[in-house]
Amino acid sequence: MSGAAEFMKGFDMNFKNRVEAGQILANRLAEYANQKPIVLGLPRGGVPVAFEVAKALTAPLDVFVVRKLGTPGQEELAMGAVASGGVRVLNTPVIEALGISEDEIETETRKERAEAERRERLYRGNRPPLNVEERTVILVDDGIATGSTIKAGIAALKQLKVGRIVVAVPVAPTSTIEELKMEADEVVCVSTPEPFFAIGLWYEEFPQTTDEEVRDLLKKAEMKQEAVAGA
């Protein structure tokens, strides 16, 4: 057993799986049921959690794809991101400090935007994305480590002119949550263990979510919304 796993044996706040984590998270979000929110899951792992939240709140569910724009020669360093809705967010301090050219930015943008669009088609099929303008949006993932992806998602949602942004996750380090509180309107997190280690260590079962699972959950959520509308 690793040192991290041995340390965590003393913690009770382990989630069995993403389904249970989503159900517990949904209880923390019950007050939003009357605000007719839209729930957005970050694929792939955030979607099973978001599905449980959307089901509990009787809210529509969609994916929100965020793709990092890697810096030329230092791909792990983000110079920005692209997201669902054709949004692009640029990290101007990084771009200026490294002297990244407009051509380099555009080349990386085209590549990652094409991948984001491919993934959206894969997950959503021919269904159009939900209109989030002026709506309360609950942005869900299965956990947060550094927060770089979800920060890019928040910035992208602001460009899409949403009414209110609520970040909701089962587990994250306290330092990251405090940073996100300066970006989102509200941050809801079930557990903030310290030391944090990694997201997967706080789940008893943490298999990789497949593309097929994401598609199935989106379809189930759509059918539930149709049933509610027809009731």
Side-chain angles (χ1 to χ4, degrees), residues 66-147:
V66 179
R67 297 287 299 176
K68 180 177 66 178
L69 299 178
T71 302
Q74 301 179 62
E75 280 68 27
E76 290 305 308
L77 177 62
M79 62 176 174
V82 293
S84 295
V87 174
R88 182 176 74 175
V89 179
L90 295 179
N91 189 335
T92 304
V94 168
I95 291 170
E96 292 179 348
L98 297 179
I100 301 169
S101 71
E102 186 65 30
D103 284 346
E104 289 174 317
I105 296 170
E106 292 303 323
T107 297
E108 182 71 3
T109 297
R110 284 193 296 270
K111 182 184 76 171
E112 293 302 336
R113 186 165 279 162
E115 177 60 16
E117 291 172 354
R118 183 193 72 81
R119 291 193 178 211
E120 286 200 74
R121 288 193 300 271
L122 176 66
Y123 299 142
R124 196 185 288 121
N126 295 323
R127 297 190 300 276
L130 296 175
N131 181 9
V132 297
E133 189 170 344
E134 300 301 326
R135 297 288 297 274
T136 293
V137 170
I138 302 177
L139 184 62
V140 179
D141 206 351
D142 54 12
I144 303 174
T146 64

Side-chain angles (χ1 to χ4, degrees), residues 114-219:
E115 177 60 16
E117 291 172 354
R118 183 193 72 81
R119 291 193 178 211
E120 286 200 74
R121 288 193 300 271
L122 176 66
Y123 299 142
R124 196 185 288 121
N126 295 323
R127 297 190 300 276
L130 296 175
N131 181 9
V132 297
E133 189 170 344
E134 300 301 326
R135 297 288 297 274
T136 293
V137 170
I138 302 177
L139 184 62
V140 179
D141 206 351
D142 54 12
I144 303 174
T146 64
S148 58
T149 299
I150 212 152
K151 285 177 185 175
I154 292 169
L157 286 171
K158 287 178 179 178
Q159 288 192 27
L160 292 174
K161 299 178 181 178
V162 302
R164 182 175 175 82
I165 301 171
V166 180
V167 171
V169 292
V171 61
T174 302
S175 57
T176 301
I177 292 299
E178 291 304 313
E179 290 176 12
L180 291 175
K181 285 179 178 178
M182 295 186 285
E183 307 287 338
D185 294 295
E186 185 177 358
V187 180
V188 177
C189 182
V190 176
S191 180
T192 53
E194 296 294 345
F196 181 76
F197 296 119
I199 296 167
L201 290 175
W202 300 100
Y203 286 81
E204 293 175 26
E205 302 167 11
F206 198 68
Q208 185 176 43
T209 304
T210 66
D211 291 334
E212 187 64 32
E213 286 178 90
V214 172
R215 289 196 298 268
D216 286 348
L217 290 172
L218 289 178
K219 186 61 178 175

